[in-house]
Amino acid sequence: MISRVKICGITRLQDAENAIAAGASALGFVFYEPSPRYIDPNSAAEIIAALPPFVTTTALFVDEDPSVVAKIVDKTQIDLLQFHGAEDESYCRQFNVPYIKALRVKGDLDIATAVAGYPSARAVLLDTYVKGLPGGTGAVFNWQLIPHALRAQIILAGGLGVDNVAAAIEAVRPFAVDVSGGGEAQKGIKCANKVSAFMAEVNRANLS
């Protein structure tokens, strides 16, 4: 199982280009205004229009008004939606765009039951539960909580960086890993060296 990589929180074209050059499969754009990684739809559309083929672009929302989601989809021509709030399955699939659902993991979450609630999702992303934060927490959860039968289907997020992504892949063998803060120089601005080092660790783990 080769784990793919999504670099989330893209706000600049140069960061997108560096992530692609390093080998990322997907880029994430945050349309949640309270986030320090928020990007306005016009700027995101300009970046996306300049990207090469075969890179999946992903739009992240948190309990957004459906009309706003629809407008951003139309503006950006995004490939994939990512929902980080309390959205149910009927909400997620109403846009007729492939989506992934993020679930925040804490000790009492029945992951298998939660995943089963989104049968139309292309994948489920597992992030760390931190009260008051829908994502981008920089915190790691206990990977052993993930049922073995689901591990090859999930996107693993939550506090991943150069120092632990190889261990995460070796322990879980997820479909993909998602990094935001672990590849930054500061919030919203990526560090090319950190992204390259992160990808090198992913590649090392994929070959192990």
Side-chain angles (χ1 to χ4, degrees):
M1 180 70 186
I2 294 177
S3 296
R4 295 152 179 82
V5 176
K6 173 172 162 282
I7 306 293
C8 198
I10 295 293
T11 61
R12 306 187 301 172
L13 178 58
Q14 68 198 77
D15 293 341
E17 291 172 338
N18 288 337
I20 293 166
S25 300
L27 303 176
F29 299 85
V30 177
F31 298 107
Y32 176 58
E33 291 194 28
S35 171
R37 302 173 181 101
Y38 171 78
I39 185 169
D40 70 87
N42 289 330
S43 298
E46 290 177 2
I47 294 172
I48 290 166
L51 297 179
F54 308 124
V55 176
T56 301
T57 55
T58 306
L60 189 156
F61 298 98
V62 182
D63 296 321
E64 186 57 87
D65 184 286
S67 66
V68 174
V69 176
K71 288 177 182 176
I72 291 175
V73 168
D74 184 61
K75 167 68 73 174
T76 61
Q77 297 298 295
I78 205 86
D79 298 315
L80 185 69
L81 304 179
Q82 178 174 327
F83 297 112
H84 260 265
E87 305 93 350
D88 62 16
E89 196 217 6
S90 63
Y91 173 99
C92 295
R93 58 184 170 84
Q94 69 181 297
F95 306 101
N96 296 314
V97 177
Y99 76 91
I100 58 180
K101 182 67 180 79
L103 300 174
R104 296 187 295 160
V105 179
K106 55 182 179 177
D108 62 351
L109 177 69
D110 184 331
I111 293 176
T113 298
V115 169
Y118 296 89
S120 60
R122 290 295 178 90
V124 167
L125 180 147
L126 298 181
D127 201 351
T128 306
Y129 177 86
V130 174
K131 186 176 181 179
L133 293 176
T137 64
V140 177
F141 68 89
N142 180 4
W143 303 323
Q144 297 308 312
L145 295 173
I146 307 171
H148 284 272
L150 296 178
R151 293 184 177 190
Q153 306 168 35
I154 63 100
I155 301 166
L156 183 63
L160 298 179
V162 174
D163 60 340
N164 66 358
V165 69
I169 290 173
E170 290 165 0
V172 180
R173 296 296 173 185
F175 174 77
V177 293
D178 188 303
V179 64
S180 186
E184 289 180 330
Q186 61 189 70
K187 288 187 177 182
I189 304 297
K190 300 305 179 198
C191 171
N193 289 337
K194 284 185 178 180
V195 170
S196 294
F198 184 89
M199 291 300 307
E201 286 297 288
V202 170
N203 292 334
R204 181 174 69 82
N206 279 335
L207 292 173
S208 67

